[in-house]
């Protein structure tokens, strides 16, 4: 019930291209019991922003009224990676030996903040719920993608369209800052015209791994 909302939320995105990218932001009016109403959108071209500096942006909303106020910072980070499943550093014997040495008991107090790292292989999902119904024969499908979250790190797979048994075959690597953290893996159905539909979620405490 406001036209001047303040969210004060922080999101971390990881870029894998030096030249930057485009952040597409949409604003919606939440309606209980029916489809949310579209309010407007804006795009942030990261290639126009200097690095290691916080930029305050006031972005006019296209296809709507008002503006969105953002603080955007581009900074270097090597803590999180995404790769295809065959490219797995733990299968390299030399890499494995270096990791075992890095986290050996003798190195325990070398870097207190370096607790360890977590590698998650997102292979596939099976028998997902059909979120979309299309066509005269009411063919049911979903366009699933997977979101992997650990603390403030949030990584996504690509979308597999029209499939209830998608295969992603991705490897996500996170730095662990707190062994009491919980890994959250959520599957969504992509909808280009509105927010994604929830298909399911699992939560895995790191202490159980």
């Amino acid at each position: 019930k406001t036209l001047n909302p303040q969210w004060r939320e922080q999101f971390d995105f990881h870029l894998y291209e030096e030249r930057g990218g485009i952040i597409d932001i949409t604003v919606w009016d939440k309606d209980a019991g029916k489809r949310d109403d579209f309010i407007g959108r804006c795009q942030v071209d990261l290639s126009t922003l200097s690095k290691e500096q916080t930029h305050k942006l006031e972005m006019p909303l296209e296809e709507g009224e008002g503006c969105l106020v953002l603080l955007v910072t581009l900074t270097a980070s090597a803590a999180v990676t995404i790769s295809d499943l065959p490219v797995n550093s733990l299968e390299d014997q030399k890499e494995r030996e270096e990791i075992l040495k890095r986290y050996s008991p003798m190195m325990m107090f070398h870097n207190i903040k370096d607790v360890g790292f977590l590698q998650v292989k997102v292979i596939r999902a099976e028998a997902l719920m059909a979120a979309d119904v299309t066509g005269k024969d009411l063919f049911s499908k979903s366009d699933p993608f997977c979101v992997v979250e650990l603390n403030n790190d949030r990584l996504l797979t690509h979308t597999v369209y029209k499939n209830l048994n998608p295969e992603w075959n991705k490897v996500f690597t996170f730095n662990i800052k707190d062994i009491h953290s919980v890994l959250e893996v959520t599957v969504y159905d992509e909808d280009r015209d509105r927010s994604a539909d929830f298909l399911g979620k699992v939560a895995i405490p790191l202490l159980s791994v």
Side-chain angles (χ1 to χ4, degrees):
K1 298 180 180 180
T2 179
L3 300 180
N4 300 285
Q6 294 188 30
W7 294 291
R8 301 188 182 277
E9 295 282 351
Q10 177 174 320
F11 301 93
D12 295 328
F13 297 93
H14 300 276
L15 305 177
Y16 301 96
E17 295 184 7
E18 182 65 24
R19 60 182 178 271
I22 302 292
I23 297 181
D24 188 25
I25 305 171
T26 55
V27 182
W28 302 81
D29 171 55
K30 188 174 184 63
D31 285 320
K34 59 179 181 178
R35 181 174 294 186
D36 297 339
D37 296 320
F38 176 78
I39 291 180
R41 66 162 36 91
C42 65
Q43 288 188 331
V44 180
D45 184 354
L46 298 180
S47 65
T48 64
L49 304 180
S50 57
K51 298 177 181 178
E52 305 303 335
Q53 178 182 346
T54 298
H55 302 268
K56 182 177 180 180
L57 307 177
E58 295 187 10
M59 308 293 297
L61 291 177
E62 302 173 5
E63 305 174 43
E65 299 179 2
C67 69
L68 197 62
V69 180
L70 309 169
L71 295 177
V72 181
T73 306
L74 293 176
T75 186
S77 172
V80 180
T81 63
I82 299 178
S83 62
D84 293 324
L85 187 56
V87 185
N88 185 357
S89 62
L90 292 185
E91 293 175 356
D92 186 295
Q93 184 60 32
K94 184 178 179 180
E95 189 79 21
R96 176 182 286 271
E97 291 174 357
E98 290 179 357
I99 291 170
L100 291 175
K101 181 180 178 181
R102 176 178 170 184
Y103 297 109
S104 67
M106 294 181 61
M107 300 292 289
M108 184 177 298
F109 299 104
H110 181 71
N111 186 349
I112 300 297
K113 294 183 179 180
D114 187 8
V115 178
F117 73 92
L118 175 70
Q119 192 169 80
V120 183
K121 303 177 184 178
V122 181
I123 301 173
R124 66 180 181 273
E126 297 178 353
L128 294 176
M129 178 180 65
D132 303 324
V133 180
T134 61
K136 295 181 180 180
D137 57 350
L138 298 181
F139 174 68
S140 298
K141 64 178 182 65
S142 285
D143 301 320
F145 66 94
C146 187
V147 178
V148 184
E149 298 175 271
L150 184 66
N151 296 326
N152 289 329
D153 293 321
R154 185 177 190 268
L155 301 179
L156 286 73
T157 68
H158 59 284
T159 300
V160 179
Y161 294 97
K162 300 180 181 180
N163 199 321
L164 300 181
N165 301 283
E167 291 192 14
W168 293 292
N169 293 316
K170 291 293 182 182
V171 179
F172 300 107
T173 304
F174 300 89
N175 267 9
I176 298 175
K177 301 171 184 176
D178 184 354
I179 61 172
H180 299 93
S181 300
V182 176
L183 175 72
E184 296 184 352
V185 184
T186 311
V187 180
Y188 293 96
D189 169 61
E190 179 185 301
D191 280 313
R192 296 185 179 182
D193 297 331
R194 56 192 177 95
S195 57
D197 295 322
F198 175 81
L199 296 181
K201 179 178 182 178
V202 293
I204 306 170
L206 294 189
L207 288 176
S208 69
V209 178

